[in-house]
Amino acid sequence: MMQTTDFGAPSGFGAHCFYVEIPAIPRYAVRIYEDYGFDGDESRRETTECRVILARELWTKIRDDARRDFNARLKAKKQSTGSWNTGTVKLDRFLGRELCVLAWAAEHATPQECLIICQKWLALRPEERWWFYSKTAAEARLADQSERGWRKALYCALSDGISIKLEQKIKPKGLKTKDVNEEALPSLFDFIEIGEI
């Protein structure tokens, strides 16, 4: 199994990953970067791009939900978990994309709206978050492009409405069906290893 650090990021030098810069001074903004590593497009001069600059107050409203979601998935894959410490915190490139979607939606929000944004983000499947990332990054991937298209649309989509409650998924006991066994069906994550793609 590949060695990882923080939130599933490959620990080897030059790997494609995301990282979060969390300043030690509490009022300073948090920045999320994508580091293409050696796998980046050779036509680019810079291999690192800042995806979002998020006010510290908004970061504190979204960070715990993201940490819990990411760590639960990393534990399921028997990988070490991460935490948001000051300094540089690395993420697997897929988890980094998901964090960008959450941060892009929160960058226009009030602290009160962040609760709804987090709940709606948690209700999305990882594949849906990746789709939102690809659509947004295609036209407004840089930190200074926060007023463009999909960046604003993410805020509207995830902050609109009332607070939702995620229900615990409870499997009924004692029910067996001969037609379809849900546990036998593979999921997308059976084919994708976090940090190996």
Side-chain angles (χ1 to χ4, degrees), residues 15-78:
H16 185 180
C17 67
F18 280 72
Y19 64 91
V20 181
E21 284 288 340
I22 305 172
I25 299 172
R27 67 180 179 275
Y28 283 13
V30 171
R31 297 171 188 264
I32 301 172
Y33 294 88
E34 182 171 6
D35 184 351
Y36 292 99
F38 292 127
D39 295 330
D41 184 353
E42 292 179 10
S43 65
R44 297 183 188 192
R45 299 182 89 187
E46 296 291 329
T47 58
T48 302
E49 292 181 337
C50 184
R51 294 285 175 244
V52 62
I53 301 171
L54 194 63
R56 193 60 165 266
E57 184 180 12
L58 299 175
W59 169 252
T60 59
K61 297 291 184 183
I62 67 169
R63 67 181 179 194
D64 292 335
D65 286 320
R67 178 184 48 80
R68 281 190 292 271
D69 182 70
F70 294 162
N71 283 341
R73 289 163 52 202
L74 289 168
K75 281 181 188 175
K77 291 293 181 186
K78 297 184 176 22

Side-chain angles (χ1 to χ4, degrees), residues 14 23 37 41 49 52 58 60 65 69 81-82 91 113 129 136 138 144 161 166 169 181 193:
D41 184 353
E49 292 181 337
V52 62
L58 299 175
T60 59
D65 286 320
D69 182 70
T81 58
L91 297 98
E113 289 172 321
R129 297 174 192 167
T136 306
D144 62 350
L166 295 177
K169 293 182 180 176
N181 184 353
E193 287 294 325

Side-chain angles (χ1 to χ4, degrees), residues 50-150:
C50 184
R51 294 285 175 244
V52 62
I53 301 171
L54 194 63
R56 193 60 165 266
E57 184 180 12
L58 299 175
W59 169 252
T60 59
K61 297 291 184 183
I62 67 169
R63 67 181 179 194
D64 292 335
D65 286 320
R67 178 184 48 80
R68 281 190 292 271
D69 182 70
F70 294 162
N71 283 341
R73 289 163 52 202
L74 289 168
K75 281 181 188 175
K77 291 293 181 186
K78 297 184 176 22
Q79 293 187 353
S80 60
T81 58
S83 61
W84 302 120
N85 300 317
T86 56
T88 301
V89 179
K90 292 185 174 184
L91 297 98
D92 168 78
R93 65 184 182 178
F94 288 102
L95 298 182
R97 291 171 185 171
E98 295 175 43
L99 183 62
C100 280
V101 169
L102 179 58
W104 283 336
E107 70 184 336
H108 298 288
T110 65
Q112 294 75 23
E113 289 172 321
C114 285
L115 174 64
I116 297 169
I117 289 170
C118 286
Q119 289 175 338
K120 287 191 172 184
W121 179 84
L122 287 168
L124 294 171
R125 294 181 53 84
E127 299 88 348
E128 294 170 317
R129 297 174 192 167
W130 302 339
W131 184 86
F132 277 125
Y133 176 84
S134 65
K135 293 299 282 184
T136 306
E139 65 176 320
R141 70 179 182 270
L142 301 176
D144 62 350
Q145 296 174 327
S146 64
E147 295 297 321
R148 295 183 62 185
W150 278 91

